[in-house]
Amino acid sequence: MTHKIICYGDSNTYGACGFVGGRHAADSRWTGILHDSGLYEVVNLGENGREIPSDRWEFNELADFLRQEPDFDLLTIMLGTNDLLTMVRSGSAKVAVRMEQFLTELLNTQPNVCRTEQILLIAPPSTVLGKMAPSSAALDEACRELGDYYADIAGKLHIHFANASVWPVELGPDGVHMTVMGHQVFAEEMKKVLADIF
């Protein structure tokens, strides 16, 4: 039996290559690796530059998609990196508030588009921008902190949680986007998480 997983995220779900441009091959992205395992049917809803939805049209777009996929087993949500890049002075606490508002609204949508047991919140991999500029070290720290905030949100809302900020994923020269090896490691870690859910 295969489980249908919808993966909603930003460029690291989409599979962007970073500075070199383009997109990793489908079978090299963590979503594609999971799909090719034969255990999961994976729908990749990654989009470059996506932040946590705060506009009504963004929320409705996702809700409408979920209504058209009533047989899905799990919705993974991995967002927050782009929010930190634009809200670095606000820090991870403000980004976490935005995530909690988004998830709460999603769970309270009528008719329900998903239940608590169908959501996996993933804290994104921690950036390593500090390699390029000492002033960016604060962003790297905020990204690591996001994992703790997201864990609290998941506990409060009774949804699944995974903290990819502590996974040993390899990032490219831009310090944000996963390499092919990074996607492979991410997929292996995800397999462990999913084995505990299903």
Side-chain angles (χ1 to χ4, degrees):
M1 176 182 176
T2 59
H3 297 282
K4 187 170 187 177
I5 303 174
I6 298 171
C7 299
Y8 186 73
D10 55 26
S11 53
N12 267 328
T13 298
Y14 175 80
C17 296
F19 282 158
V20 299
R23 187 182 192 186
H24 293 299
D27 60 359
S28 294
R29 303 171 210 146
W30 66 267
T31 51
I33 295 168
L34 290 180
H35 185 85
D36 291 345
S37 72
L39 299 173
Y40 313 103
E41 177 188 350
V42 179
V43 179
N44 188 328
L45 291 186
E47 182 178 293
N48 290 337
R50 176 178 279 143
E51 297 182 9
I52 300 165
S54 57
D55 293 331
R56 173 52 53 181
W57 72 266
E58 293 177 288
F59 179 84
N60 288 343
E61 182 180 52
L62 175 59
D64 288 344
F65 182 87
L66 295 178
R67 289 189 183 98
Q68 296 169 24
E69 301 285 339
D71 60 339
F72 77 92
D73 297 295
L74 191 70
L75 169 68
T76 72
I77 297 173
M78 185 169 73
L79 292 167
T81 303
N82 291 312
D83 301 79
L84 283 174
L85 289 169
T86 58
M87 300 169 60
V88 65
R89 291 179 182 173
S90 299
S92 50
K94 289 284 185 67
V95 174
V97 168
R98 180 182 287 186
M99 176 59 80
E100 183 172 351
Q101 291 172 339
F102 164 63
L103 290 171
T104 300
E105 186 169 4
L106 188 64
L107 287 167
N108 291 336
T109 298
Q110 298 295 333
N112 289 338
V113 294
C114 59
R115 304 181 303 278
T116 54
E117 64 269 22
Q118 289 177 293
I119 297 179
L120 169 61
L121 175 61
I122 306 172
S126 181
T127 60
V128 288
L129 292 169
K131 283 186 175 181
M132 292 173 278
S135 61
S136 297
L139 179 61
D140 297 339
E141 179 60 28
C143 196
R144 287 189 291 271
E145 292 174 349
L146 202 58
D148 294 331
Y149 282 110
Y150 279 13
D152 290 341
I153 293 170
K156 181 178 179 180
L157 299 180
H158 306 291
I159 61 178
H160 302 290
F161 173 69
N163 189 2
S165 73
V166 299
W167 294 350
V169 299
E170 182 181 74
L171 302 179
D174 65 358
V176 175
H177 295 97
M178 291 186 283
T179 63
V180 168
M181 180 60 70
H183 276 270
Q184 180 66 52
V185 170
F186 192 98
E188 292 305 314
E189 294 290 342
M190 277 293 293
K191 288 177 183 177
K192 299 174 189 176
V193 172
L194 295 173
D196 287 336
I197 293 176
F198 297 121

